[in-house]
Amino acid sequence: MPRFFWLVLFCAMLLQVARVGHSEDVVLDRFERTTIASELIQPMELDIAPDGRIFLIELGGVVKVIDPKSGQVEVVGKLDVTTAQENGLIGLALDPNFADNGWVYLQYSPPDFSGQHISRFTFHENRLDLASEKRLFAYEEQRRECCHHAGSLEFGPDGNLYVGTGDNTNPFNDSQGYAPIDERKDRAPWDAQRSAGNTKSYNGKVLRIRPEPDGTYSIPDGNLFPKDGSIGHPEIFVMGCRNPWRINIDQKTGYLYWGDVGPDAGSENERGPRGYDEINQARAAGNFGWPHFIGDNFAYSKVNFSTGEIGPKFDSLAPRNESVNNTGAIELPPANAAMIYYPSADSSKFPELGSGGRTACAGPVYDFAPSLASTTKFPDAYDRTLFAFEWSRSKIYAVHLDDHSHVERIEPFLPEMKFSRPIDIQFDADGALVMIEYGETWGVNADARLVRIDYVRGNRSPIAMASTTNDMGREPLRVELDDGRSFDRDGDSLTYKWSLTRTNSSEPTAIELATTARASAEITEPGVYAVTLEVRDEAGAVGMTSLPVIVGNSRPSVEFIEPLDGDFYTPGEPIRYNVMVRDVEDGTSDLEESENGEYKFIDALAPTRMFVEVMPVSDASKSNETPGMTLIRKTDCLNCHAPNRTLVGPSFVDIATKYRDQPHQVDVSVGRVMNGSTGVWGKVGMLPHSQHTVAEVRLMVETVFSATADSSNASATGFNNSLPTAQDSQSVQLSANYADAGRGDIPKLDGSATIMLRNRNLQAESADEFGGTQRLGSDKAQGKHFMGGIEHDGFLKFTNIPFNAVKQVVVRVASAGVGGTIELHRGGMDGPLLGSTTVEVNGDWTDFYEKTIELGVTDGRDSLYVVFKNPERRGGLMNIDSINLQ
């Protein structure tokens, strides 16, 4: 073989090493997520200003500006929008010259116009000037039927504005999860050939325009159709989209990326392929096929919806739109295949994407900047990587691109970090990833938040994770100390120091207890103490945490005797309760037990210290409370505070009353919580809470400051009483809280118990667990939501059902697909079969009807599994709205 061949090969290898070589190894646990802001209401899209401030829009029309350093959130404007179907404030982009002109572009749904507006507003003196609106562009939609309004705005590096628009087509009913190409009379909303496949429709497209300084726009060169509009609208850059929900522009190449949310068909048949979601790349203008093609140009068949006759498949090289609803060209541009495509099941082509629900989104392409002086920028291993993400699967995927922007490989990004439905992501000026986590459901979520993911370099402080056992009780009290979860993220060895401080002393002094990871300490003097653990790594970086210890008083135990966890309740009828309390100092509410001498009788005031509350719960596992209250429950706040009663410290209502008209006290109180304080409300000090971020503490403080005497739910006092239940909720939470009498200078302690009671009429979307199905919305459903997209062996699980109180089950179902069987099992999908019923096709996905399943004799408590079966067709079975246990 010629010598020059080896020389060429060697040089090629050197070039390959230079291209894939990286200056640093990626250590996944150096990625850290920080919550910037919470309590967001259906957040949709973000953009980052040159000064680092984050602009964020919410579906209801609110525009917010967030300081990423302080977490301060400010509402700077609110548009009047309709949120019917999927409408609202759906797109945001800052002008490329925002620092100079303050221009903000918004895509929104006016209530008095059937369509969307693309408008420019001026941001001035920290407010969005609504009167400054310059309407660049508007396009019409039908609002008779749902769905797919899409919504996304992005600027390219050349100053052109890209606009994502949905196909505005109802995908349900006779389309059966395949191409919605219904050409029957008065069925235009079910025909995407009138929109996505129509060159004279703005729907189902990505538009590209060039905003001009006077508030108008021009047509840039290179769009899909001539500027004279003779073939199609000249604003169209890409046609053939179904629901291009999130778009992004590679600022280096100018290539357009978008996620296209696909249809629901679970398997291939004569109509065409199964449903796929897509991640697309457009290097130039083009047709991306919908509704005639999907995925790798998999073709649908022409269908006569009147007769059911299946015609020939569409030709991707020469597609034709011959629909009666088409107002544009009949001959369409050749179809482009998707860059990445995947079904709900595992993908053989792209196995890295896994399986599950589908809502594809395209994020930014990361360009590593070697000269950027940032200790948090992403490593160069992610240079030229497209960050695609999945709203339904709560996943992010790193799509590594080669030198020609082709897919080189795909890997899950931070698979061990749990996300809650990412809905938009961008990189900030420091090379860190800023992301909106939308939250658990398609609605208002307590876990919606704005976060930042940094790659942290250099030595990191160790994490102190102390725990104590036997931290409250009578003296002498032996407390066991354990650092078992402390660790150093750089792998350094740690040294330990435990100390004890009496916080209710006029002169608190720290006493060293031990220098080992685990230790014990006997405390003989009654008092309120803080046990502090300090861990130090080899470089001297320190992590600290403190835990409270109360000596001289025991925490009472509280137990519901009636009702029991999982019992049914009837909305509108009172709940009778009986609570048992045992307390070493106070005694017990059990008269029989008190006679044995182990307990003394509780004093006459004891029943007034028993507080029972009922609150509605939005689903079977999560109470509808604020993010601040969720954080409060997860920390130690409720050891010392209660909403309406004085415990160790003041009640939330007392704090709010004192500071309600002093806004500056929010920041003061945040400092006290972070650093600890004493002497403000008494001698019992508040421990530092440095384990929380400033943003998290601010959420907790704002929740406390919002407390009012009448802000609680229905409540009662006493060990035996009843509570009203006016709420028609899926379930209610019954909470019992007993505050003891304290002991001299030792503060009062409280004990609590919580049980959940179910409504007999269970909404399907409230299942404790589910698989092979997904939550969808419809005004025809009882709770405005139902479970759909049901596959063979899909299931719903409801835990802790009292079967002795159930004789039959009524399911509310519908099917425009293939139908199937519903089986009820006890304890597991393969557990004992309790009963079954056949679900017939009724031709409408949301025209729900009832089927009754009689149960055999069964008693006790166990999980109920609702299992869906159709082994022959396997996908597109049915929808289920509710399960009524009678």
Side-chain angles (χ1 to χ4, degrees):
M1 189 172 290
R3 182 176 297 175
F4 77 88
F5 174 84
W6 295 109
L7 179 62
V8 170
L9 181 61
F10 178 70
C11 292
M13 292 174 63
L14 287 178
L15 287 173
Q16 179 72 2
V17 170
R19 189 178 67 80
V20 303
H22 307 301
S23 63
E24 59 182 331
D25 294 329
V26 176
V27 181
L28 291 182
D29 66 5
R30 285 191 173 274
F31 284 103
E32 294 185 0
R33 173 170 52 186
T34 301
T35 298
I36 301 173
S38 299
E39 294 189 309
L40 306 176
I41 309 299
Q42 293 187 279
M44 298 303 294
E45 200 164 34
L46 69 89
D47 206 349
I48 304 174
D51 62 4
R53 288 182 299 172
I54 300 168
F55 283 69
L56 180 146
I57 58 171
E58 296 176 339
L59 189 65
V62 173
V63 182
K64 293 180 175 179
V65 173
I66 302 167
D67 184 332
K69 295 181 180 179
S70 68
Q72 184 70 37
V73 180
E74 187 168 1
V75 175
V76 299
K78 186 179 189 307
L79 276 66
D80 187 17
V81 300
T82 176
T83 56
Q85 299 174 353
E86 299 165 352
N87 284 288
L89 179 53
I90 55 179
L92 161 73
L94 303 183
D95 191 271
N97 297 313
F98 175 80
D100 297 323
N101 55 37
W103 291 342
V104 179
Y105 296 83
L106 298 175
Q107 180 181 9
Y108 68 98
S109 315
D112 56 355
F113 171 69
S114 183
Q116 309 295 336
H117 285 173
I118 314 297
S119 292
R120 189 190 80 193
F121 297 84
T122 299
F123 184 72
H124 180 64
E125 294 183 349
N126 212 38
R127 286 290 179 271
L128 192 71
D129 183 1
L130 300 181
S132 69
E133 180 177 8
K134 297 285 188 181
R135 188 175 307 155
L136 276 75
F137 185 69
Y139 60 95
E140 293 184 348
E141 293 176 324
Q142 63 82 24
R143 291 185 180 164
R144 172 182 144 193
E145 297 288 337
C146 86
C147 300
H148 304 162
H149 300 283
S152 194
L153 298 179
E154 290 291 330
F155 273 98
D158 53 4
N160 291 328
L161 179 63
Y162 293 75
V163 183
T165 74
D167 72 358
N168 191 220
T169 297
N170 189 319
F172 304 115
N173 305 121
D174 294 342
S175 298
Q176 300 179 17
Y178 297 92
I181 49 176
D182 190 344
E183 298 179 20
R184 290 175 294 180
K185 184 179 179 181
D186 200 34
R187 298 287 292 179
W190 285 264
D191 184 9
Q193 295 174 113
R194 81 175 207 296
S195 57
N198 185 351
T199 66
K200 289 292 183 75
S201 169
Y202 291 111
N203 305 120
K205 310 294 193 299
V206 178
L207 312 176
R208 186 175 70 159
I209 59 178
R210 186 172 188 84
E212 299 295 344
D214 62 356
T216 62
Y217 71 91
S218 59
I219 305 297
D221 295 334
N223 278 358
L224 188 55
F225 301 116
K227 294 183 179 181
D228 63 5
S230 56
I231 299 176
H233 289 318
E235 296 88 353
I236 297 172
F237 182 70
V238 162
M239 69 175 294
C241 302
R242 186 174 184 268
N243 199 19
W245 203 38
R246 281 295 166 265
I247 68 177
N248 258 286
I249 314 297
D250 184 342
Q251 297 300 310
K252 183 176 180 180
T253 64
Y255 295 165
L256 165 69
Y257 293 91
W258 73 97
D260 210 347
V261 183
D264 296 334
S267 60
E268 181 178 354
N269 68 15
E270 65 275 8
R271 282 186 173 226
R274 68 190 309 168
Y276 292 90
D277 271 31
E278 301 177 345
I279 301 294
N280 287 298
Q281 179 195 75
R283 303 178 179 221
N287 175 19
F288 281 75
W290 180 258
H292 302 127
F293 314 95
I294 199 167
D296 194 18
N297 272 350
F298 303 129
Y300 289 102
S301 299
K302 180 75 173 178
V303 177
N304 186 321
F305 279 69
S306 296
T307 66
E309 179 184 358
I310 307 297
K313 292 186 180 298
F314 293 100
D315 181 359
S316 63
L317 296 179
R320 293 174 61 84
N321 184 353
E322 298 175 328
S323 170
V324 296
N325 300 307
N326 179 30
T327 59
I330 294 176
E331 296 180 356
L332 304 180
N336 291 274
M339 182 177 75
I340 298 170
Y341 51 92
Y342 56 95
S344 297
D346 291 328
S347 168
S348 58
K349 179 71 173 178
F350 302 101
E352 305 88 348
L353 301 181
S355 61
R358 292 182 283 112
T359 310
C361 304
V365 175
Y366 177 66
D367 283 305
F368 179 78
S371 61
L372 177 62
S374 170
T375 59
T376 60
K377 64 183 178 182
F378 274 33
D380 60 354
Y382 293 99
D383 184 42
R384 304 303 302 148
T385 295
L386 168 69
F387 283 83
F389 54 105
E390 241 296 344
W391 185 84
S392 289
R393 299 181 186 181
S394 295
K395 302 289 186 182
I396 303 176
Y397 304 99
V399 182
H400 295 270
L401 306 174
D402 64 18
D403 290 341
H404 303 288
S405 294
H406 296 128
V407 176
E408 186 175 75
R409 72 181 191 282
I410 304 174
E411 61 187 15
F413 178 66
L414 301 181
E416 300 303 316
M417 187 177 288
K418 304 302 180 184
F419 303 111
S420 185
R421 297 190 187 268
I423 194 170
D424 195 20
I425 58 178
Q426 300 292 340
F427 281 95
D428 66 14
D430 291 326
L433 189 68
V434 179
M435 173 172 60
I436 300 174
E437 293 187 68
Y438 182 85
E440 183 178 347
T441 67
W442 177 247
V444 178
N445 298 295
D447 57 342
R449 57 182 178 171
L450 178 70
V451 303
R452 186 184 66 250
I453 298 177
D454 300 306
Y455 188 76
V456 180
R457 293 165 176 82
N459 185 53
R460 292 169 291 176
S461 298
I463 304 298
M465 303 282 285
S467 64
T468 58
T469 304
N470 198 33
D471 57 1
M472 295 183 185
R474 295 293 290 261
E475 73 283 358
L477 185 69
R478 179 164 290 277
V479 183
E480 301 296 327
L481 312 173
D482 192 337
D483 90 309
R485 294 181 295 162
S486 296
F487 65 96
D488 187 85
R489 291 171 290 179
D490 302 315
D492 296 344
S493 60
L494 298 175
T495 58
Y496 308 89
K497 185 173 75 173
W498 295 92
S499 59
L500 180 71
T501 305
R502 184 168 177 174
T503 57
N504 66 338
S505 169
S506 59
E507 298 181 0
T509 303
I511 301 172
E512 185 172 313
L513 296 176
T515 56
T516 55
R518 293 168 182 81
S520 63
E522 185 174 89
I523 307 174
T524 59
E525 292 295 323
V528 180
Y529 296 85
V531 170
T532 300
L533 171 64
E534 176 184 296
V535 293
R536 186 181 299 267
D537 70 9
E538 299 168 5
V542 174
M544 297 180 64
T545 187
S546 295
L547 295 171
V549 174
I550 295 178
V551 182
N553 190 15
S554 299
R555 186 182 293 280
S557 70
V558 178
E559 177 187 4
F560 275 98
I561 304 302
E562 178 191 7
L564 298 177
D565 189 44
D567 281 355
F568 295 117
Y569 87 99
T570 302
E573 294 185 7
I575 298 173
R576 186 76 196 177
Y577 70 83
N578 182 9
V579 181
M580 175 74 69
V581 171
R582 295 180 178 90
D583 185 78
V584 172
E585 290 77 30
D586 290 8
T588 179
S589 61
D590 186 342
L591 296 181
E592 294 182 2
E593 190 168 338
S594 69
E595 293 175 354
N596 64 19
E598 184 178 349
Y599 296 89
K600 60 184 178 181
F601 284 100
I602 293 177
D603 65 65
L605 294 177
T608 67
R609 298 197 296 270
M610 183 75 252
F611 182 84
V612 181
E613 180 183 35
V614 62
M615 63 184 299
V617 175
S618 57
D619 58 44
S621 62
K622 182 177 180 182
S623 62
N624 44 344
E625 63 186 16
T626 66
M629 193 64 204
T630 300
L631 288 167
I632 286 171
R633 293 188 188 278
K634 290 180 178 179
T635 189
D636 60 3
C637 300
L638 297 179
N639 289 343
C640 300
H641 303 277
N644 289 295
R645 303 178 311 286
T646 299
L647 296 177
V648 176
S651 71
F652 293 168
V653 171
D654 289 341
I655 297 170
T657 301
K658 181 176 180 178
Y659 296 134
R660 194 178 311 282
D661 298 324
Q662 304 176 54
H664 70 282
Q665 287 289 346
V666 172
D667 291 325
V668 174
S669 293
V670 168
R672 289 174 183 152
V673 175
M674 291 292 294
N675 303 314
S677 70
T678 187
V680 179
W681 291 88
K683 292 184 178 181
V684 179
M686 179 168 58
L687 300 177
H689 293 74
S690 56
Q691 72 270 29
H692 295 289
T693 66
V694 172
E696 289 172 338
V697 172
R698 180 178 292 277
L699 281 175
M700 291 188 280
V701 169
E702 289 174 346
T703 296
V704 172
F705 277 32
S706 67
T708 60
D710 58 355
S711 63
S712 61
N713 295 278
S715 61
T717 59
F719 304 114
N720 292 276
N721 209 333
S722 61
L723 286 165
T725 57
Q727 307 98 338
D728 187 4
S729 179
Q730 271 300 279
S731 51
V732 294
Q733 179 177 285
L734 212 59
S735 298
N737 200 287
Y738 174 76
D740 70 13
R743 182 181 170 218
D745 292 336
I746 308 305
K748 300 175 182 179
L749 296 178
D750 72 326
S752 62
T754 299
I755 61 173
M756 203 77 74
L757 306 181
R758 290 187 186 274
N759 191 323
R760 286 183 177 272
N761 189 41
L762 303 176
Q763 295 303 306
E765 65 273 11
S766 73
D768 297 291
E769 295 181 24
F770 62 87
T773 180
Q774 57 185 299
R775 178 183 171 119
L776 301 172
S778 170
D779 289 339
K780 296 182 180 180
Q782 288 179 351
K784 305 300 182 183
H785 291 91
F786 62 92
M787 297 302 286
I790 295 176
E791 301 173 356
H792 173 65
D793 277 341
F795 72 92
L796 306 174
K797 176 186 177 183
F798 298 91
T799 60
N800 199 25
I801 298 296
F803 282 103
N804 58 303
V806 183
K807 304 303 179 186
Q808 65 180 17
V809 176
V810 178
V811 293
R812 193 165 181 261
V813 294
S815 177
V818 298
T821 300
I822 292 179
E823 296 180 351
L824 303 182
H825 291 263
R826 176 173 178 163
M829 290 184 63
D830 299 322
L833 178 64
L834 304 178
S836 65
T837 188
T838 300
V839 175
E840 297 85 6
V841 176
N842 63 322
D844 190 320
W845 284 110
T846 55
D847 185 12
F848 294 102
Y849 66 93
E850 293 183 347
K851 297 296 292 282
T852 300
I853 306 172
E854 299 291 338
L855 300 190
V857 177
T858 183
D859 58 10
R861 293 173 184 268
D862 209 334
S863 296
L864 171 67
Y865 280 79
V866 182
V867 183
F868 308 98
K869 297 284 187 178
N870 191 327
E872 290 79 23
R873 302 302 290 273
R874 304 190 72 83
L877 273 60
M878 64 191 77
N879 293 338
I880 183 166
D881 183 25
S882 63
I883 301 96
N884 195 296
L885 308 180
Q886 300 178 351

